Structures are given as structure tokens and as C-alpha cells.
Amino acid sequence: MFSWFLKFGVLSAKFTQSIIVPLVKVKCGDLSDVENYRAIMISNAITKVFEFVLFDKLTSSSYVDEYQFGFKARHSTGLCTNVLKRTTDYYTERGSYVFCSFVDFSKAFDRVNCWKLFNKLLDDNVAYDVVKLFSFWYSNQSVSVRWQNMQSESFGIQNGTRQGSILSPFLFMRYIREVLSDIINSNIGCNIGGYMVNILAYADDLVLLAPSWRALQQLLDKLQVTASDIDMCCNSKKTVYMIFIPKCRSKTVAYQFPNFTIISP
């Protein structure tokens, strides 16, 4: 059956249907606020089996993936934090500041433009029949919402990676690869032994690192431009920055700096 799906580029209706179950993020918060809910998507078991089959057909790698710590074997938030800590220690022990910005994207997984994603897969020489199947899958996916004992009518979804899908983490990391690449290749920010450490990513959570205020602002400006090219936007309300001062206090030139600017749509 899976071979026929790949041969003809179509799926049966059961594979394109899912159920969304909203979960409250903050139970003591405003239950009438849509932003206070996290959508969990449930698919049938055979769909996940098929995704495991397709996963082996998705081969794509780049040096940029070294900066991505999310959804990877033998990687974790702890490892990402350790790299961040070692980088800041390297600079502060040598009398330098480190300016960090912890960037949050608004609805990152939901904003993925499927057609731009498929073009990236084709650029990676992923088999045409696999990309064709993805285009059918994402063009015809339908979901319904289950709330307590009620279930809504089905409706279509055109953008975003499939919530709860085994393939979604890989697809998302591939989607934002060029964003990381543009920051790394800018040669702006922290550098240790000729190795740029100006961005670290854990899935959609990014941290930018630079030894000066101006350098970090330049990275933020570049990030906004490259992210907008793939329909991503930074959430200024959740994006924060942190300043690490030199450990030798005699090399501290200031404790306060101008605010960084980041423009939300």
C-alpha cells in the first residue's frame, strides 16, 4: 500500500485526517484567551508507521546543522546551554562583553510555507515522488477539534508542519536552515579560533551572541530580513536579551546600554 502511495502520489482520506485537542497552557490564566491553549494533533497509528518509512527517504545535511540542537540524537537543551556558557566564559575571562538575544518566533511551526519547504527539498535532491506525495498530503489535510465530548466539523489547513508528525522536526529544521546560514556566514558576532559561535538553535528557539552592542543589533537586523523571506516573524514581546560583563571589573566600561530594536509585523 505504501509503495502505491509513492507511485501515484496520493493518500487515502484516513491519512490526511487528524483531530486537534486543545490543552490549557496556564490553568489559572484567562481561559477565554486563544493564546492560552496549545493544540495537540492526534493521528492514527498507521500514519505514523508510514512516516517512519518516509523518514529514510529524506536525506539532507549541512555544516549549519551543527548549530541546531533540537530534535537530534545525542543533543539536548543542556548541551546547547553548555555551548552558550563556554562561549560567554571564553570572552568574559578575556575582558570582553557578550551580548545575547534570546529570540522567539511567533507561531513558528504554523507559519511554515509548505511550497517553499517543498522547493528546498527538491534543491536537496529528495526524490520527486516523495515531494509529490508531500504536496498532496499537505494540500488535502483536514482536521477537526475535539473539546470534551464534542467534535467540530472538519476544515482544511494549508500552512504549517503537521503537529505531532514524526517528520515535522526534520522538515522544520530544513526550512529554517538558510536563516542560520545567513547569520553564520555574516562573520558578525562571537568567534572562537576561527569558528563562528554567533547563533545557537534549539528547534525554533534561537540565541544570538556578539561581543559588542552594535554587532548584536546587526545580527538582529539580519535575522529579521532572512526570517521574513520564509514568512517567519520575531515576537518582540517574548524576545529578550542578556549582557555578560567582563570578569575583570576594571575592564567594565558600562553597565547600561541602549535598548535593542526588533520590529514585529
Side-chain angles (χ1 to χ4, degrees), residues 84-261:
L84 172 63
K85 185 177 184 300
R86 287 178 176 271
T87 302
T88 57
D89 287 345
Y90 178 88
Y91 272 82
T92 55
E93 288 172 358
R94 288 162 175 77
S96 173
Y97 285 84
V98 177
F99 295 80
C100 299
S101 178
F102 299 87
V103 180
D104 179 78
F105 284 126
S106 299
K107 306 292 184 183
F109 287 85
D110 296 334
R111 283 181 172 269
V112 172
N113 185 309
C114 297
W115 302 107
K116 290 183 179 181
L117 171 61
F118 300 152
N119 284 327
K120 294 178 185 294
L121 295 179
L122 291 173
D123 291 340
D124 292 341
N125 295 318
V126 174
Y128 174 77
D129 56 351
V130 174
V131 179
K132 180 182 178 182
L133 183 64
F134 276 136
S135 65
F136 178 90
W137 201 340
Y138 277 78
S139 299
N140 293 274
Q141 61 179 335
S142 63
V143 299
S144 59
V145 179
R146 180 187 296 166
W147 180 251
Q148 297 186 13
N149 296 324
M150 303 294 291
Q151 186 165 327
S152 72
E153 295 182 357
S154 297
F155 55 92
I157 295 180
Q158 299 300 320
N159 275 344
T161 55
R162 298 179 64 251
Q163 173 77 15
S165 168
I166 296 167
L167 302 175
S168 291
F170 169 83
L171 295 176
F172 181 80
M173 288 190 292
R174 176 60 189 91
Y175 188 70
I176 67 169
R177 181 183 292 168
E178 282 72 21
V179 173
L180 274 62
S181 176
D182 286 345
I183 296 295
I184 296 166
N185 294 331
S186 70
N187 292 321
I188 301 171
C190 292
N191 183 310
I192 300 179
Y195 191 87
M196 294 304 302
V197 195
N198 55 359
I199 186 170
L200 301 172
Y202 192 83
D204 60 325
D205 296 320
L206 309 178
V207 56
L208 303 175
L209 302 94
S212 69
W213 181 94
R214 184 174 299 277
L216 182 57
Q217 183 61 63
Q218 289 176 334
L219 289 179
L220 287 170
D221 294 339
K222 180 172 286 293
L223 178 68
Q224 291 184 89
V225 173
T226 56
S228 64
D229 291 339
I230 58 171
D231 304 326
M232 292 285 178
C233 66
C234 299
N235 186 344
S236 59
K237 294 182 179 180
K238 293 185 178 180
T239 297
V240 299
Y241 69 89
M242 183 181 295
I243 302 173
F244 296 89
I245 64 175
K247 292 187 177 181
C248 180
R249 296 304 173 90
S250 63
K251 297 182 179 181
T252 302
V253 297
Y255 288 98
Q256 293 182 343
F257 295 87
N259 288 330
F260 293 98
T261 58

